[in-house]
Amino acid sequence: MEYKSCKLKEVIVLNPKLKLSKNTIAKKVSMDNLIENQKRIESFSYSQFKGGSKFKNGDTLLARITPCLENGKTAYVDILDSDEIAFGSTEFFVLRPKEDLMDNQYLYYLMRTHKLRNIVIKSMTGTSGRQRAQKESILEFEVNLPSLKQQKIIAKILKNLDDKIELNQDIIANLEELSQTLFKRWFVDFEFPDENGNPYQSSGGEMVVSELGEIPKGWKVVQLKDLAGHKKDTFNPKKSGEKEVLHFSLPAFDNRKLPVLDKVINIKSNKWIIDENCILFSKMNPTTRRIWLTSIDDKYLNIASSEFIVLKSDNSFNNAFIYNVCTSDGFNEFLVSNATGSTNSRQRVKPDIAIRYNFAFNSEIASLFSEAVEPYLEKIKLLRNEIQKLTELRDTLLPKLMSGEIEIPDEVWGDEDELSI
């Protein structure tokens, strides 16, 4: 595979000029809309354009401010209509290849390489907490560039992996939505099937007064701790004989809910030990929902951040119901209303309060519910495990393909279909 050495300024445009009139209502992508180490832009808003970066489909957005740059906020724009222009944070670098010199997708993956990112990070200047990368670190970066055809093939290999990851994420989101929709219908609206298979409450099912208001006859009010144990087995890194552990941390949750393999020597505080059929929910900042249906790897000791509260049930069947209690709006509202501490970043819910959440319960209906949704949750676990393997494969291949350490066989260059997953 032949390469041409050049500086990036010869083949890309940084912050290209686009026309978007002041006060125009357009799609806005803020820094919060970018997910760390994820290609896809998950969300956006509509807003009046007053200023900021402007971009169109095919552009790459790179965070230039700390800690967003270091944390991997880099995205590929493909959420717009043809010729549509959007805008976003002034803290984005917008990158676009020059026509016929570099492939758009290849440029995105180039910006994901550690070699280039480390140089950009080292260029950061400014006061602590507000440091920004300098554009010259990108423009002056020397790259060995393969032919445009070869760029497209390399990018397609990596894109296929990202596409499969995104497809799995979409399936997970749909399965979770189906589970929670059914939970709300049965345990909030009380429209579970009666003895004739009809919706209970709207078909005239008898209701009785309780401390929560009216609930179906034969139901009772229970607390979360009545159905799941509060697991508090402690992991002390200073006393552990383990060298590596699988760590369910808050940053790992925010990064696609994938635990990370950490060296024990790098862990500075006590954690919780977790095993099969554990559900985690964050006691910190409950306005940001963090509920984790864990999938355990028996090759390692599995631990969780002490900012999580660990619930333990007897089996995956019971877990299906408990998980949906924890993901419900009612539970989140309870956590938010019981959070104490300074506003914004450091509010917490006391564990003993969190596990006393009250809700209406009927064991027979809960069993029917678990029977319906448990397969969904097991599928979610499998899909997340697959996402982890695909992510590891992509991150292993990316630097090797971009550097030429792995070469694509000549016969593949002419048949892109061979590269599908």
Side-chain angles (χ1 to χ4, degrees):
M1 190 160 56
E2 296 183 0
Y3 290 87
K4 174 186 176 182
S5 179
C6 63
K7 291 187 176 182
L8 276 182
K9 65 182 179 182
E10 300 173 37
V11 292
I12 72 165
V13 179
L14 192 147
N15 297 333
K17 294 185 181 300
L18 289 170
K19 186 175 181 180
L20 187 62
S21 301
K22 290 279 187 179
N23 299 321
T24 298
I25 301 297
K27 289 175 183 172
K28 178 182 179 180
V29 178
S30 68
M31 191 66 74
D32 288 341
N33 293 129
L34 267 58
I35 296 176
E36 295 170 5
N37 301 308
Q38 179 168 302
K39 181 180 182 182
R40 180 169 62 177
I41 298 171
E42 291 283 359
S43 59
F44 56 85
S45 60
Y46 284 93
S47 184
Q48 278 190 334
F49 173 65
K50 302 289 187 182
S53 58
K54 293 171 285 187
F55 41 84
K56 63 181 184 178
N57 279 348
D59 290 343
T60 291
L61 305 182
L62 175 71
R64 64 187 293 254
I65 191 169
T66 191
C68 301
L69 172 59
E70 298 97 311
N71 291 344
K73 289 205 170 189
T74 308
Y76 184 80
V77 182
D78 61 0
I79 59 171
L80 309 177
D81 295 331
S82 178
D83 299 323
E84 182 181 7
I85 298 172
F87 72 101
S89 171
T90 57
E91 304 297 352
F92 291 146
F93 280 139
V94 180
L95 306 161
R96 183 183 304 160
K98 293 181 180 178
E99 191 172 357
D100 297 329
L101 294 179
M102 182 181 279
D103 177 67
N104 298 69
Q105 297 274 356
Y106 186 88
L107 174 57
Y108 165 77
Y109 288 110
L110 179 64
M111 300 311 300
R112 290 287 307 274
T113 59
H114 289 302
K115 182 178 180 181
L116 176 50
R117 294 184 70 84
N118 288 340
I119 289 175
V120 177
I121 289 169
K122 288 178 181 178
S123 79
M124 300 182 85
T125 61
T127 58
S128 177
R130 302 299 294 175
Q131 292 186 319
R132 292 173 174 83
Q134 305 304 301
K135 64 181 182 180
E136 290 75 18
S137 64
I138 298 174
L139 295 174
E140 297 297 325
F141 180 79
E142 291 196 10
V143 61
N144 291 321
L145 202 62
S147 69
L148 188 61
K149 181 179 179 181
Q150 292 168 340
Q151 290 175 41
K152 290 180 182 294
I153 295 293
I154 290 169
K156 183 173 177 60
I157 293 172
L158 298 170
K159 179 180 180 297
N160 284 343
L161 292 168
D162 270 325
D163 287 349
K164 178 58 175 172
I165 290 169
E166 291 174 7
L167 176 61
N168 283 2
Q169 289 174 325
D170 290 341
I171 295 172
I172 288 171
N174 288 336
L175 291 173
E176 289 188 326
E177 184 178 0
L178 284 171
S179 298
Q180 193 53 217
T181 299
L182 187 62
F183 180 86
K184 180 178 182 298
R185 182 162 176 80
W186 285 16
F187 292 91
V188 178
D189 300 332
F190 303 126
E191 296 290 19
F192 55 89
D194 63 14
E195 62 273 14
N196 298 315
N198 299 318
Y200 182 85
Q201 187 168 21
S202 60
S203 299
E206 185 176 353
M207 306 291 286
V208 297
V209 176
S210 77
E211 62 189 273
L212 299 178
E214 287 193 335
I215 64 174
K217 184 179 180 180
W219 286 47
K220 60 182 178 179
V221 175
V222 300
Q223 295 185 340
L224 186 56
K225 66 183 180 66
D226 296 330
L227 301 181
H230 180 195
K231 195 172 189 298
K232 294 184 281 188
D233 298 335
T234 303
F235 169 78
N236 185 335
K238 295 180 180 179
K239 297 180 180 180
S240 174
E242 304 286 337
K243 291 185 178 180
E244 292 182 316
V245 290
L246 198 64
H247 191 185
F248 291 75
S249 65
L250 289 180
F253 178 92
D254 294 337
N255 186 16
R256 297 182 178 177
K257 301 181 184 178
L258 299 177
V260 294
L261 193 62
D262 275 346
K263 294 185 182 298
V264 172
I265 195 172
N266 295 328
I267 297 175
K268 306 303 180 185
S269 61
N270 289 359
K271 309 296 178 185
W272 302 123
I273 297 173
I274 63 173
D275 50 26
E276 282 295 337
N277 301 314
C278 284
I279 293 169
L280 314 177
F281 65 88
S282 174
K283 65 184 180 182
M284 186 175 73
N285 304 336
T287 52
T288 300
R289 299 191 189 195
R290 292 186 176 99
I291 299 94
W292 205 336
L293 180 70
T294 60
S295 184
I296 301 303
D297 189 335
D298 291 330
K299 296 193 297 292
Y300 304 98
L301 180 68
N302 295 253
I303 65 171
S305 167
S306 58
E307 294 293 355
F308 282 117
I309 296 170
V310 183
L311 298 179
K312 167 77 173 176
S313 65
D314 296 333
N315 53 59
S316 62
F317 201 66
N318 292 338
N319 245 23
F321 179 76
I322 295 166
Y323 177 71
N324 277 277
V325 172
C326 293
T327 55
S328 68
D329 290 340
F331 183 63
N332 182 250
E333 291 164 5
F334 176 80
L335 295 182
V336 171
S337 65
N338 283 280
T340 59
S342 58
T343 57
N344 300 325
S345 63
R346 291 299 174 187
Q347 288 195 315
R348 287 180 174 84
V349 183
K350 293 180 179 179
D352 288 345
I353 292 177
I355 62 175
R356 292 205 298 268
Y357 171 65
N358 288 346
F359 55 94
F361 178 75
N362 177 281
S363 59
E364 182 180 348
I365 301 302
S367 294
L368 289 173
F369 175 82
S370 295
E371 184 178 351
V373 305
E374 194 260 355
Y376 296 170
L377 301 192
E378 289 304 302
K379 179 67 172 178
I380 287 172
K381 288 182 181 181
L382 292 174
L383 289 170
R384 286 209 179 114
N385 287 338
E386 186 174 281
I387 287 174
Q388 186 143 23
K389 292 175 182 177
L390 290 168
T391 300
E392 290 169 357
L393 176 60
R394 181 203 63 201
D395 292 346
T396 298
L397 288 176
L398 192 151
K400 296 179 184 294
L401 286 169
M402 302 297 281
S403 68
E405 182 180 343
I406 294 179
E407 292 195 12
I408 309 301
D410 290 341
E411 59 268 21
V412 175
W413 294 117
D415 189 359
E416 293 188 11
D417 290 338
E418 293 290 330
L419 302 175
S420 61
I421 295 180

